[in-house]
Amino acid sequence: VGVVNNIKVPARMIVVACGKFKETKIYSIIEMLINIIGQVIFIPICGIYGALIGCLLAHLYRTINFISYSNKNILGVDNKRTIKRIIVFLIPSIIICYLSKLVNITINGYLEWIVMSFVVFIISSIVILGIGILTDKKTFNEFTATIKNLVRSH
């Protein structure tokens, strides 16, 4: 649910910033209904995980809805590029999570935790940025230009 929510945040912020509350109100009601109906269906089958499934279904619906609405009605762009970016960055994230389960890391204190988190951050960043560079050079060039401008201005 957290991953889906984080995918939704940028599109949701665009809708909120543009003040499109009334236009998207019906979609909030649909999200709530999906959540309730999903929980009613899945809780008897899966227990507490059924509640999670209902929430996940509602979040997936709303994420797709926010992305589609903001792209079409506010930004005037096609959904294909957004979907491609989501897939391109979800795949290495899933692989990194899977690989992290295979590595047995023992941490015996705060200093070890800080060092290991830094190592994992660097490795994950290299993998994700590398895939980003290979799949979307234009966005990477825009990103690096923005960073350079920020550094120069300070």
Side-chain angles (χ1 to χ4, degrees):
V1 173
V3 172
V4 174
N5 191 50
N6 286 330
I7 292 170
K8 175 176 66 173
V9 167
R12 181 176 170 263
M13 289 297 108
I14 291 170
V15 171
V16 169
C18 291
K20 301 288 186 180
F21 306 109
K22 289 183 182 178
E23 294 86 341
T24 60
K25 184 178 178 180
I26 186 69
Y27 305 121
S28 295
I29 294 168
I30 294 170
E31 176 188 17
M32 177 196 61
L33 291 172
I34 291 171
N35 195 351
I36 292 169
I37 293 168
Q39 289 186 25
V40 167
I41 292 170
F42 290 110
I43 287 177
I45 299 167
C46 306
I48 192 69
Y49 294 110
L52 181 64
I53 292 169
C55 287
L56 183 60
L57 292 173
H59 272 302
L60 282 171
Y61 162 77
R62 194 66 165 134
T63 298
I64 293 166
N65 175 261
F66 267 124
I67 290 169
S68 296
Y69 184 88
S70 64
N71 282 348
K72 180 180 177 186
N73 299 310
I74 299 171
L75 300 173
V77 297
D78 188 27
N79 287 327
K80 289 178 186 174
R81 186 173 183 196
T82 304
I83 293 167
K84 177 188 171 195
R85 283 182 176 169
I86 291 169
I87 291 169
V88 161
F89 287 106
L90 267 180
I91 291 171
S93 299
I94 292 168
I95 291 169
I96 289 167
C97 288
Y98 176 75
L99 292 176
S100 70
K101 300 287 184 189
L102 298 177
V103 177
N104 188 11
I105 299 172
T106 304
I107 297 174
N108 295 316
Y110 289 115
L111 184 60
E112 287 180 32
W113 182 82
I114 291 169
V115 170
M116 191 52 64
S117 65
F118 183 73
V119 169
V120 170
F121 167 76
I122 294 297
I123 293 169
S124 300
S125 296
I126 290 169
V127 170
I128 291 173
L129 284 173
I131 290 172
I133 292 167
L134 292 174
T135 58
D136 195 352
K137 289 181 184 179
K138 178 183 175 191
T139 301
F140 178 75
N141 290 336
E142 291 170 357
F143 171 75
T144 54
T146 302
I147 297 298
K148 287 177 185 175
N149 288 336
L150 286 172
V151 171
R152 284 184 200 146
S153 66
H154 290 336

